[in-house]
Amino acid sequence: MKKILRKKSFLQWVKRLESYKIYAPMKDDDFWNFALINNPKDLNLNHSNTVLSPKKIIFPQREVILEFSTSNDSELEVKEILPEEKASIIFGVRPCDARAIPLMDKVFGGDFTDPYYWKRRDKTILVGLSCNTPPSSNCFCLSVEGSPHSKEGLDILMTDLGDKYYVESLTKKGDQLINLAKNLFEEPNAKDNKDLENIHKDSEKKIKRQIQDIKNIPAKLKEMFESPFWDEESLSCLRCGICTYLCPTCHCFDINDEIISSSPLKGKRVRTWDNCQFPDFTMHSSGHNPRSDRASRLRQRILHKFQYFIEQYQNYQCTGCGRCISKCPVGIDIIEVLNKVENYGT
Amino acid sequence: MEHNAYIPRLAKIIQIKEEVSGARPIKTFRTQFLNKNDFAFHCGQCTMLSVFGKGESMISISSPPLIKDYLQFSILKMGRVTSALHEMEVGDKIGIRGPYGNGFPIEDWKGKNLIFIGGGIGLAPIWSVLQTALGKKQEYGELKLIYGARTSKDLVFKEELKELKKKMIVHLSIDVEEPEWEEFIGFVPQNVTDKKPSPKNAITITCGPPIMIKFVIQALKDLEFEDAQIYTTVENKMKCGIGKCGRCNIGMHYVCKDGPVYSWAELKKLPQEY
Ligand SMILES: Cc1cc2nc3c(=O)[nH]c(=O)nc-3n(C[C@H](O)[C@H](O)[C@H](O)COP(=O)(O)OP(=O)(O)OC[C@H]3O[C@@H](n4cnc5c(N)ncnc54)[C@H](O)[C@@H]3O)c2cc1C
Ligand code: SF4
Ligand code: FES
């Protein structure tokens, strides 16, 4: 379904969606971040890239998975805690962040479906916004099979045409949102379609950074497992973990028990994001650690994204948002690393 | 509704046996589920054991699948969870989720000679498959166990081993000399080299610390075992057990799901990072 929505009608549309929880980028201090919108008036789509991707709404940084307690007669009780199920809409999702979600679906689906993830995922509608200008100077979506107007993972893609939005619904969930305010939408005319095409084409030209020849990378990485290259590239890494915490596709987590009282026992089991750049991530209790140095941990981050994930799911586990580059305190740049891989030893 | 994979089922400890005391204590626990359920598993599979308030640990089931009344685990005291388990008493409750992992391809081994090679607590993960093969002795060729520990006190299943000697060949070893010890003195891989098991129609199943496994494989290769005849289990730090938390991988494999059992033919193709 392809529609036009006047910008002046946008607020009205959002008001009609009041039965949903609405998330959108909000500016707090200097940063943009996805937050729950209480007043539709707060919603504005002029955001640059958010610090964290909307991944955190479907897969929160911290969530309780169960509670345990012993009652007075010392019976142990374990209670499953599943997230509440209210339907949500996320507005202003960048196409790269949207593409990360089907990748997470693969991880949290499969042989063992993850009920915590899917409870939220099934109830979340993703409304994307094309990037007419790249929100970051390190955007490289085109190199990883994406684009600034990719529809993958989205229910609706909106494109800013100046005084109106081009609104393309891509799924039944998307159609529903438009149908809730049918009278606000118009049919696109030939000029709108032409404008859309031009804006999309132009937006691609504005992406400056690229990985040279990504097709060769997975095989090259496989050959380079033992290479001293990883020592050289990782020397400056502080193992702060920013690169993976900010990544829209990273899914690694930890599970720990938190005690509220020890007698009678009362507490919860909590899942939190974890990080392959931390030495502790893989360290056994014995002290043995298969990835004990920075080199093996950088290698893991790169190979997981550009070799293992491809082998497992036939996709790169990177959507080119550029956050890990912009925010790394020591300037480790995944594009540079991959371009060096491409040319290594030749 | 589908069972939530993260929610353990409650079980009661019905028996605790001290296998090894001292600085590296090992205890064997038998547990029974509080509610009747359909828990079924294969030899070599593991479960996530919960001590509520402490966390979870991946532990191999050391009883054979044929035994339905209880599940048995032999546990070396290491950190938070395993220490808490060591403090538990009969009647205390734990959580169990699983079973996880691929298990041993025991059906494919029918008619073959099986050589079990273990070090320290590493006998526990192969005890289930050993007992299963022993129970169906007529379906397999010769059964042999080569097992060792640091000292005679560190050997697990001491009484069971005495019984076992009546039923199959058992070669024991300890790392350093002790007055009463009449069997091999030296590391497990050296004992393998010393006993020279024949590769003919044989499968070896080995489990122990990473360094022992490495040298056992070397010893077996020297004895001209093929890569596909050598099976081992891999241990990596685990949290979810279901291929999602991302920490137990070797290359694209998640050991919790795709392992922990590998033939050397399979394992050597993966990045050597475990
Ligand atoms: C497939 C498999 C089978 C195993 N079978 C047995 C067995 O039969 N008997 C036995 O005694 N031990 C076994 N282990 C090792 C056992 O899981 C660890 O010793 C145990 O998890 C340590 O937990 P802790 O809380 O006491 O230590 P801590 O140091 O407090 O560990 C914190 C957490 O990290 C994780 N962790 C740390 N080290 C390991 C490790 N080596 N392996 C897996 N997770 C780890 C656990 O989730 C643990 O709760 C097995 C490990 C694996 C991977
Ligand atoms: S953000 Fe940079 S310094 Fe921090 S862990 Fe990642 S690569 Fe290392
Ligand atoms: S333990 Fe989580 S992926 Fe294997």
Side-chain angles (χ1 to χ4, degrees):
Chain A
M1 191 191 283
K2 294 173 179 172
K3 297 283 179 193
I4 291 292
L5 179 70
R6 305 259 154 207
K7 279 194 177 165
K8 60 176 170 31
S9 306
F10 181 58
L11 180 61
Q12 274 171 284
W13 182 33
V14 178
K15 282 184 179 161
R16 298 266 180 95
L17 306 174
E18 64 188 359
S19 64
Y20 294 89
K21 267 163 95 173
I22 293 181
Y23 294 90
M26 296 270 278
K27 200 165 183 179
D28 67 61
D29 299 329
D30 291 335
F31 300 110
W32 287 95
N33 254 321
F34 282 91
L36 196 61
I37 302 286
N38 296 317
N39 185 345
K41 283 202 179 90
D42 296 341
L43 208 163
N44 100 39
L45 295 178
N46 297 322
H47 56 292
S48 64
N49 215 3
T50 50
V51 178
L52 281 171
S53 82
K55 166 180 94 175
K56 63 168 189 173
I57 298 165
I58 301 172
F59 174 46
Q61 280 165 285
R62 180 182 185 280
E63 72 182 314
V64 176
I65 62 177
L66 62 83
E67 286 175 357
F68 49 83
S69 58
T70 48
S71 54
N72 296 335
D73 49 359
S74 88
E75 267 316 300
L76 177 65
E77 210 190 308
V78 173
K79 196 168 134 217
E80 171 188 53
I81 306 288
L82 285 170
E84 60 157 322
E85 290 174 56
K86 196 169 173 197
S88 326
I89 306 169
I90 313 179
F91 272 99
V93 180
R94 296 290 178 188
C96 53
D97 289 347
R99 287 187 68 227
I101 294 186
L103 301 179
M104 299 249 296
D105 291 350
K106 295 188 178 192
V107 174
F108 288 110
D111 297 348
F112 296 91
T113 49
D114 189 296
Y116 304 92
Y117 178 84
W118 287 102
K119 277 270 177 201
R120 297 194 183 83
R121 172 69 174 114
D122 284 335
K123 293 270 177 176
T124 307
I125 304 178
L126 298 166
V127 181
L129 181 69
S130 303
C131 305
N132 294 358
T133 20
S136 152
S137 57
N138 286 312
C139 288
F140 63 104
C141 53
L142 290 173
S143 299
V144 284
E145 299 179 339
S147 89
H149 49 85
S150 164
K151 297 167 188 166
E152 225 177 298
L154 287 170
D155 296 293
I156 289 180
L157 176 68
M158 295 169 63
T159 302
D160 189 333
L161 301 185
D163 59 347
K164 52 192 166 185
Y165 290 115
Y166 197 104
V167 181
E168 183 172 357
S169 168
L170 305 153
T171 64
K172 282 213 179 74
K173 281 176 173 178
D175 294 350
Q176 264 171 27
L177 297 194
I178 292 177
N179 289 336
L180 281 171
K182 257 189 185 143
N183 60 328
L184 300 176
F185 290 88
E186 298 160 28
E187 294 305 315
N189 57 34
K191 182 172 181 304
D192 295 328
N193 286 328
K194 193 78 206 145
D195 286 351
L196 181 80
E197 206 186 310
N198 288 338
I199 284 178
H200 283 179
K201 251 193 228 147
D202 277 354
S203 69
E204 290 183 19
K205 287 183 206 137
K206 296 182 200 160
I207 305 279
K208 293 288 174 251
R209 300 215 56 198
Q210 60 168 332
I211 299 168
Q212 280 161 23
D213 193 358
I214 192 147
K215 287 276 176 301
N216 299 330
I217 297 265
K220 195 76 200 277
L221 287 172
K222 200 167 181 173
E223 280 169 29
M224 283 175 59
F225 189 84
E226 304 285 357
S227 167
F229 175 78
W230 302 111
D231 293 296
E232 296 154 21
E233 292 305 311
S234 64
L235 269 180
S236 57
C237 175
L238 306 170
R239 60 191 193 197
C240 65
I242 286 176
C243 48
T244 64
Y245 274 129
L246 299 185
C247 175
T249 70
C250 280
H251 59 80
C252 291
F253 59 82
D254 198 357
I255 301 176
N256 285 298
D257 283 7
E258 291 178 2
I259 303 183
I260 298 161
S261 114
S262 45
S263 136
L265 181 67
K266 193 169 157 48
K268 40 195 160 185
R269 184 157 291 165
V270 181
R271 147 156 109 184
T272 47
W273 290 358
D274 205 350
N275 204 303
C276 63
Q277 300 306 298
F278 297 160
D280 187 43
F281 187 64
T282 47
M283 191 168 79
H284 300 198
S285 332
S286 63
H288 172 71
N289 192 349
R291 294 198 279 268
S292 60
D293 58 354
R294 285 178 286 215
S296 59
R297 293 190 292 267
L298 174 68
R299 182 177 65 193
Q300 167 65 17
R301 175 161 79 92
I302 306 285
L303 267 61
H304 190 196
K305 295 188 176 305
F306 292 94
Q307 181 195 331
Y308 308 153
F309 209 82
I310 288 261
E311 291 171 341
Q312 208 174 359
Y313 299 117
Q314 294 76 52
N315 290 103
Y316 302 110
Q317 198 207 16
C318 168
T319 59
C321 73
R323 287 184 181 89
C324 63
I325 307 172
S326 305
K327 297 293 192 303
C328 174
V330 297
I332 293 180
D333 181 328
I334 199 164
I335 301 174
E336 269 175 31
V337 171
L338 290 171
N339 285 339
K340 282 190 209 167
V341 162
E342 173 66 24
N343 299 317
Y344 196 75
T346 56
Chain B
M1 209 188 90
E2 206 179 331
H3 181 73
N4 179 342
Y6 295 94
I7 306 296
R9 303 159 205 234
L10 293 183
K12 180 172 77 195
I13 298 176
I14 57 161
Q15 196 192 87
I16 302 176
K17 191 166 161 229
E18 190 166 342
E19 301 280 353
V20 175
S21 55
R24 294 171 54 80
I26 298 173
K27 284 184 179 176
T28 295
F29 299 81
R30 286 187 181 169
T31 65
Q32 254 167 7
F33 288 108
L34 296 191
N35 297 316
K36 278 247 165 301
N37 66 62
D38 50 356
F39 191 93
F41 67 99
H42 303 294
C43 298
Q45 282 194 300
C46 308
T47 58
M48 268 292 184
L49 299 189
S50 283
V51 178
F52 295 97
K54 299 291 178 186
E56 294 186 292
S57 272
M58 191 62 101
I59 303 290
S60 308
I61 306 170
S62 68
S63 49
L66 269 176
I67 295 181
K68 305 278 181 209
D69 316 346
Y70 62 84
L71 290 178
Q72 178 175 295
F73 308 96
S74 295
I75 301 171
L76 172 66
K77 182 174 167 178
M78 290 299 294
R80 269 168 81 87
V81 178
T82 53
S83 301
L85 281 163
H86 270 244
E87 272 162 34
M88 287 194 145
E89 289 167 12
V90 169
D92 283 348
K93 288 177 194 108
I94 61 167
I96 301 180
R97 59 184 181 91
Y100 298 126
N102 55 359
F104 292 102
I106 184 164
E107 290 300 310
D108 302 346
W109 297 344
K110 294 223 164 120
K112 297 198 190 287
N113 303 326
L114 303 185
I115 306 154
F116 300 92
I117 305 169
I121 183 75
L123 186 55
I126 59 180
W127 195 249
S128 165
V129 61
L130 186 153
Q131 291 295 329
T132 302
L134 199 60
K136 298 181 183 168
K137 220 174 159 186
Q138 64 293 350
E139 294 180 18
Y140 298 90
E142 189 184 59
L143 303 180
K144 196 180 277 183
L145 170 67
I146 301 175
Y147 173 57
R150 294 176 187 205
T151 72
S152 61
K153 288 202 183 77
D154 291 305
L155 295 165
V156 296
F157 306 149
K158 292 181 197 65
E159 284 159 33
E160 290 89 337
L161 285 171
K162 270 185 212 146
E163 284 301 304
L164 200 65
K165 283 187 170 170
K166 297 175 192 159
K167 298 179 193 156
M168 62 188 271
I169 304 161
V170 178
H171 298 299
L172 299 180
S173 67
I174 54 174
D175 292 356
V176 284
E177 216 172 314
E178 286 175 32
E180 308 274 289
W181 188 256
E182 287 170 358
E183 296 204 48
F184 190 80
I185 297 165
F187 298 123
V188 174
Q190 294 167 333
N191 201 13
V192 172
T193 307
D194 186 69
K195 298 302 172 311
K196 293 194 182 48
S198 160
K200 198 157 170 268
N201 194 36
I203 292 288
T204 66
I205 302 112
T206 174
C207 183
I211 185 81
M212 182 208 94
I213 292 178
K214 200 174 140 208
F215 286 112
V216 165
I217 292 173
Q218 189 54 54
L220 292 170
K221 292 301 295 171
D222 292 345
L223 292 166
E224 294 182 345
F225 279 79
E226 301 280 338
D227 296 340
Q229 291 179 287
I230 304 171
Y231 280 82
T232 184
T233 68
V234 176
E235 183 179 328
N236 259 353
K237 183 167 178 178
M238 295 185 180
K239 284 287 179 169
C240 70
I242 55 176
K244 309 212 185 293
C245 80
R247 82 191 57 236
C248 73
N249 75 301
I250 306 178
M252 70 168 285
H253 275 237
Y254 285 116
V255 176
C256 62
K257 207 163 128 260
D258 307 313
V261 174
Y262 290 91
S263 74
W264 179 235
E266 296 160 331
L267 191 59
K268 77 177 212 185
K269 278 193 237 142
L270 297 177
Q272 295 305 294
E273 189 184 59
Y274 45 88

